[in-house]
Amino acid sequence: MFAEEIFALGLGLTPPWKVMSQHLDTEDTPTKLMLEIGAERGVLYPCPKCGSACKAHDFKEYTWRHLNFFQHHCYLTARVPRIDCLEHGIRRVEVPWAREGSRFTLLFEQVVMSLVREMPVNAVARHVEVTDKRLWRIVRHYVSKAIAALDLKSLKAVGLDETASKRGHNYITVFIDLDRTEKPVIFATPGKGKEGLAKFCSFIEAHGGHPDNVIEVVCDMSPAFLSAIEKEFKAAKVTVDWFHVVQLFTKAVDDVRKLEAKQTKLPEHTRWTVLKGGEKGRTDGQKNALLELV
């Protein structure tokens, strides 16, 4: 089996496409494997609209970055034809290894999207040796595609919270569908408070849902959130999430401990003795302190 046939199998090429030639450039840095993809002269290509077999009208050469071949950067080059369809006129043929408008193969984009779920885009850019600006285009394409397909007709229970996106007072508010077991995040917006709730309501309506269908909202005790929820989600009941309830109780217990410590001498290790839950193991010192307190 020739090298071109092996590469064609690896790329999953189907007729009329095949690997015409391959060249490993070891003089450049990083080293590059160049694969030329083409078809036999005179073959017919499917119309991207109707699939009819059509003759090539003209050609234009494109190059796509592919997954590395061992340590070598790999690029696919092909002269992609425009066909002259009787019904749809002159149109550029769609290649099976890349989406329209992208200069990366589908497999390369798949790896990028897997990596950006686990690490920052800048880190992925360094790893694959592509600028982060180009990777952001990939991310935005697939995120926009996923958002466009989002159906919120059955949205009934929502959880929301703000989180810092970077140092300083820079926040984003994240919304999740509490009934989803996988990929629960459905919306995120810069800022916090009532503006974020208003944007989320518009987003729900744009995706087939309605704020009046939401019957439960889980959030913290932020006055801005609570007033906005009352305004935007008129049918919803508010549930304060357990983290913030526990946080309040913990602070109250610690405040009482501090007050008593000013009035009487408390055993050593008292702070964590009273703050630790019963399910967490206490040290011997904390156990002794608990015995003294009771």
Side-chain angles (χ1 to χ4, degrees):
M1 183 177 288
F2 294 109
E4 287 79 4
E5 294 175 316
I6 295 174
F7 284 127
L9 285 173
L11 292 169
L13 297 181
T14 55
W17 301 105
K18 63 180 182 178
V19 177
M20 308 297 287
S21 66
Q22 42 81 22
H23 171 67
L24 181 61
D25 183 357
T26 57
E27 295 182 358
D28 201 359
T29 304
T31 54
K32 298 176 182 178
L33 174 65
M34 308 298 296
L35 301 179
E36 181 188 357
I37 299 175
E40 296 295 342
R41 188 180 182 87
V43 300
L44 301 179
Y45 298 90
C47 170
K49 285 291 184 180
C50 63
S52 299
C54 306
K55 291 183 178 180
H57 176 74
D58 57 16
F59 293 84
K60 184 176 181 179
E61 186 171 280
Y62 294 94
T63 299
W64 299 265
R65 171 74 186 275
H66 188 49
L67 299 175
N68 284 5
F69 179 74
F70 294 100
Q71 74 272 30
H72 312 292
H73 285 198
C74 183
Y75 293 87
L76 311 184
T77 299
R79 295 176 67 242
V80 182
R82 289 193 303 171
I83 52 88
D84 191 357
C85 178
L86 293 176
E87 183 178 354
H88 299 101
I90 296 176
R91 294 183 177 273
R92 183 74 61 188
V93 167
E94 295 177 354
V95 296
W97 57 84
R99 61 181 173 86
E100 184 180 2
S102 175
R103 293 298 166 259
F104 299 98
T105 64
L106 292 170
L107 286 174
F108 185 93
E109 292 185 337
Q110 181 185 40
V111 169
V112 167
M113 292 304 294
S114 297
L115 291 175
V116 296
R117 293 183 63 182
E118 308 298 334
M119 64 180 79
V121 173
N122 278 339
V124 178
R126 291 192 297 270
H127 180 69
V128 300
E129 298 181 276
V130 173
T131 63
D132 63 325
K133 185 176 181 180
R134 298 185 72 192
L135 295 191
W136 273 115
R137 292 195 193 107
I138 297 174
V139 173
R140 290 191 183 100
H141 169 79
Y142 287 105
V143 170
S144 298
K145 187 176 180 181
I147 290 174
L150 193 60
D151 184 358
L152 298 179
K153 288 196 296 288
S154 60
L155 181 66
K156 295 185 182 300
V158 173
L160 62 101
D161 199 3
E162 79 273 3
T163 183
S165 59
K166 52 186 175 181
R167 291 183 180 179
H169 297 285
N170 296 284
Y171 294 94
I172 59 172
T173 302
V174 180
F175 298 80
I176 66 172
D177 182 348
L178 295 175
D179 293 325
R180 287 175 179 248
T181 56
E182 294 183 355
K183 301 178 181 178
V185 176
I186 54 176
F187 186 69
T189 183
K192 59 179 182 177
K194 60 182 181 180
E195 294 83 4
L197 268 293
K199 291 178 183 177
F200 180 53
C201 287
S202 299
F203 182 80
I204 293 174
E205 293 176 344
H207 291 270
H210 197 281
D212 289 347
N213 295 337
V214 177
I215 59 175
E216 182 181 12
V217 178
V218 178
C219 64
D220 60 24
M221 288 170 282
S222 162
F225 277 156
L226 295 176
S227 63
I229 290 168
E230 185 178 1
K231 176 184 176 182
E232 303 289 353
F233 299 100
K234 295 179 173 58
K237 293 183 178 180
V238 175
T239 301
V240 178
D241 69 76
W242 67 269
F243 173 82
H244 291 91
V245 173
V246 171
Q247 189 180 56
L248 272 181
F249 273 98
T250 300
K251 185 178 183 305
V253 169
D254 202 39
D255 287 344
V256 171
R257 179 193 63 81
K258 291 176 182 177
L259 183 62
E260 290 196 3
K262 293 178 181 179
Q263 300 171 356
T264 183
K265 181 174 175 59
L266 296 176
E268 193 177 356
H269 308 297
T270 295
R271 182 186 181 192
W272 294 112
T273 298
V274 297
L275 290 182
K276 273 190 175 181
E279 73 280 1
K280 295 183 179 179
R282 292 187 173 93
T283 65
D284 291 339
Q286 291 165 356
K287 290 177 182 177
N288 292 333
L290 184 61
L291 290 174
E292 289 187 47
L293 289 171
V294 298

